[in-house]
């Protein structure tokens, strides 16, 4: 199958900013809605659907975390004080507090990076979460893309990144491909004068957080982003953080508005890096591995019908390619299931869908619906 990521060389670059492409190609943002996210699938009439479109762990936040957040409401008359939460996050990663910045979700961090850092040649590795590129473009930057290919398993060769790139953004594990890049491969992207941004929003869903760069201080220019909204079901609360050198943290902090993180979000941050929370997250990561294996095994039953699973998958979601995916997605909605369209991700087209990992009962129901949807799409 031919996709944008299959065309051209391994390091197929496309200009997506406001100026002409240095490769001579037309801007490639056409057809990719960088502001589309999985929550669009479950709004309005989609609210009644079983949700495999949003990568937030089901049945969260847990009761103990809800109670902790609720307990913070008695302090809403005071301005937020983030010192305790910042110290807790720093301790969780073995870092000084000067290397930590709390943000209103990881998405805010992308905006801060785009606005605060003085960069000339930003590069975003795709397919991945589209907000980094959208934020850079909104800040007036011209952005190049490195498009990873299905034929390479969507894995990154560090040599594919232009040597003169002074800002590189990559996800690990990557949304939507579920690829977990080796930490040392990503560390090889570091250069003097380059900011290397690694989005680890889903790393706590990986057992042992293997391949994590969070906590590393030996990689020059490294910026690691973490989200607490995925594992803990706090998308509506907006809480994440940045780990970076003190100078970079200071630059980003100057770009933040006053009191950017609310008191309830600060309470959540402190709670989610406690020993209890880390143990629960580790247990959940183990369940995700088993549930993902069950989902992938079921999906592979559709291989004779042309369905392909992007493997190996290491995140709490799976990327699939299948014939008539747009029609299948539409029929799945009529059968009660929401899945994430893939064509808004640069490097993918409308043959791709992303599925969040869910429990076995939900997956079994989904696989039955998928069988029916594929049959209907063939008519």
């Amino acid at each position: 199958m031919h996709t944008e990521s299959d065309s051209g060389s391994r390091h197929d670059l496309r200009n997506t900013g406001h100026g002409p492409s240095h490769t001579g190609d037309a801007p490639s943002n056409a057809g990719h809605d960088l502001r589309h996210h999985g929550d669009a699938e479950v709004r309005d009439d989609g609210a009644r659907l079983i949700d495999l479109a949003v990568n937030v762990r089901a049945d969260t936040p847990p009761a103990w975390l809800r109670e902790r957040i609720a307990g913070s409401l008695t302090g809403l008359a005071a301005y937020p004080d983030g010192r305790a939460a910042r110290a807790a996050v720093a301790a969780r990663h073995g870092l000084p507090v000067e290397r930590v910045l709390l943000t209103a979700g990881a998405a805010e961090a992308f905006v801060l990076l785009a606005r605060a850092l003085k960069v000339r040649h930003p590069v975003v590795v795709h397919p991945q979460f589209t907000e980094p590129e959208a934020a850079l473009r909104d800040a007036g930057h011209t952005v190049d893309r490195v498009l990873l290919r299905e034929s390479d398993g969507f894995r990154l060769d560090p040599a594919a990144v232009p040597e003169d790139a002074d800002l590189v953004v990559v996800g690990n594990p990557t949304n939507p491909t579920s690829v977990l890049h080796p930490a040392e491969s990503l560390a090889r992207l570091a250069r003097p004068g380059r900011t290397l941004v690694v989005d680890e929003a889903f790393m706590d869903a990986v057992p042992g957080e293997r391949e994590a760069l969070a906590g590393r201080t030996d990689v020059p220019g490294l910026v690691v982003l973490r989200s607490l909204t995925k594992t803990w079901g706090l998308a509506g609360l907006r809480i994440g953080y940045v780990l970076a050198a003190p100078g970079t943290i200071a630059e980003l902090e100057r770009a933040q508005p006053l009191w950017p993180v609310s008191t309830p979000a600060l309470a959540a941050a402190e709670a989610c890096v406690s020993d209890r929370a880390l143990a629960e997250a580790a247990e959940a990561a183990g369940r995700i591995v088993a549930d993902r294996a069950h989902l992938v095994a079921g999906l592979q039953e559709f291989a004779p019908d042309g369905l392909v699973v992007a493997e190996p998958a290491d995140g709490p979601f799976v990327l699939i390619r299948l014939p008539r995916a747009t029609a299948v997605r539409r029929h799945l909605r009529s059968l009660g299931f929401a899945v994430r369209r893939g064509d808004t991700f640069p490097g993918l087209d409308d043959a791709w869908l992303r599925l969040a990992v869910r429990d076995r009962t939900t997956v079994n129901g989904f696989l039955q619906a998928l069988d029916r949807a594929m049959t209907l799409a063939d008519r």
Side-chain angles (χ1 to χ4, degrees):
M1 171 187 149
H2 177 82
T3 69
E4 185 181 6
S5 58
D6 288 325
S7 63
S9 66
R10 175 187 294 271
H11 40 97
D12 185 8
L13 291 180
R14 297 288 189 270
N15 174 278
T16 60
H18 306 293
S21 167
H22 74 271
T23 62
D25 294 312
S28 66
N29 56 304
H32 295 107
D33 179 1
L34 301 181
R35 295 297 191 188
H36 180 90
H37 301 295
D39 61 320
E41 311 283 355
V42 290
R43 289 178 184 158
D44 302 325
D45 64 330
R48 60 182 174 77
L49 303 177
I50 297 173
D51 179 12
L52 277 73
V54 177
N55 291 328
V56 172
R57 184 161 64 100
D59 300 321
T60 52
W64 65 265
L65 181 54
R66 292 197 304 270
E67 292 169 4
R68 182 76 173 268
I69 294 169
S72 73
L73 300 182
T74 58
L76 292 186
Y79 286 97
D81 183 349
R83 289 177 296 177
R86 188 176 185 183
V89 170
R92 182 255 196 270
H93 292 287
L95 295 171
V97 293
E98 293 80 10
R99 283 184 166 266
V100 175
L101 181 67
L102 303 177
T103 59
E108 187 207 4
F110 291 123
V111 174
L112 296 176
L113 288 163
R115 293 178 178 177
L117 300 187
K118 306 299 187 290
V119 296
R120 296 170 289 96
H121 185 190
V123 170
V124 179
V125 178
H126 286 289
Q128 78 151 359
F129 184 51
T130 53
E131 278 302 315
E133 180 174 321
L136 285 162
R137 291 181 59 197
D138 286 348
H141 296 285
T142 296
V143 184
D144 274 343
R145 294 172 177 170
V146 172
L147 299 182
L148 307 185
R149 302 189 300 183
E150 179 189 5
S151 59
D152 296 326
F154 296 112
R155 294 196 169 274
L156 173 64
D157 176 359
V161 176
E163 193 64 30
D164 66 342
D166 57 355
L167 175 68
V168 178
V169 185
V170 61
N172 203 38
T174 305
N175 170 22
T177 63
S178 209
V179 167
L180 184 65
H181 300 288
E184 291 313 310
S185 292
L186 297 183
R188 283 181 11 230
L189 291 171
R191 301 281 190 281
R194 171 184 289 177
T195 300
L196 171 61
V197 179
V198 182
D199 177 8
E200 293 187 351
F202 295 98
M203 187 61 78
D204 58 355
V206 177
E209 297 194 0
R210 68 186 193 278
E211 313 304 344
L213 288 172
R216 293 274 295 268
T217 60
D218 61 322
V219 181
L222 177 65
V223 176
V224 174
L225 308 185
R226 286 287 182 109
S227 170
L228 296 174
T229 65
K230 315 300 184 184
T231 289
W232 298 108
L234 298 174
L237 195 62
R238 312 308 307 141
I239 180 62
Y241 54 89
V242 182
L243 307 175
T248 301
I249 293 296
E251 285 187 78
L252 300 180
E253 192 168 18
R254 282 193 293 271
Q256 275 187 314
L258 292 174
W259 310 292
V261 181
S262 70
T263 295
L266 292 171
E270 192 172 355
C272 290
V273 296
S274 66
D275 290 343
R276 172 183 184 172
L278 296 180
E280 184 173 320
E283 182 181 343
R287 289 197 303 272
I288 287 169
V289 170
D291 290 341
R292 184 178 60 235
H294 180 67
L295 171 61
V296 169
L299 292 168
Q300 288 172 336
E301 296 293 323
F302 295 92
D305 303 306
L307 188 151
V308 176
V309 181
E311 292 188 275
D314 283 292
F317 43 85
V318 174
L319 182 67
I320 63 172
R321 173 169 54 81
L322 69 164
R324 297 168 295 282
T326 300
V328 169
R329 175 173 157 270
R330 184 177 66 251
H331 288 304
L332 281 170
R333 290 185 71 84
S334 70
L335 295 167
F337 289 87
V339 299
R340 172 66 157 89
R341 55 188 276 208
D343 62 312
T344 64
F345 293 101
L348 303 181
D349 60 19
D350 61 6
W352 296 89
L353 300 174
R354 190 194 69 196
L355 314 173
V357 173
R358 298 293 185 239
D359 64 89
R360 289 186 173 222
T361 300
T362 301
V363 166
N364 289 342
F366 167 74
L367 292 171
Q368 292 177 348
L370 178 61
D371 187 26
R372 176 63 175 157
M374 292 182 72
T375 299
L376 291 171
D378 284 336
R379 291 179 179 174

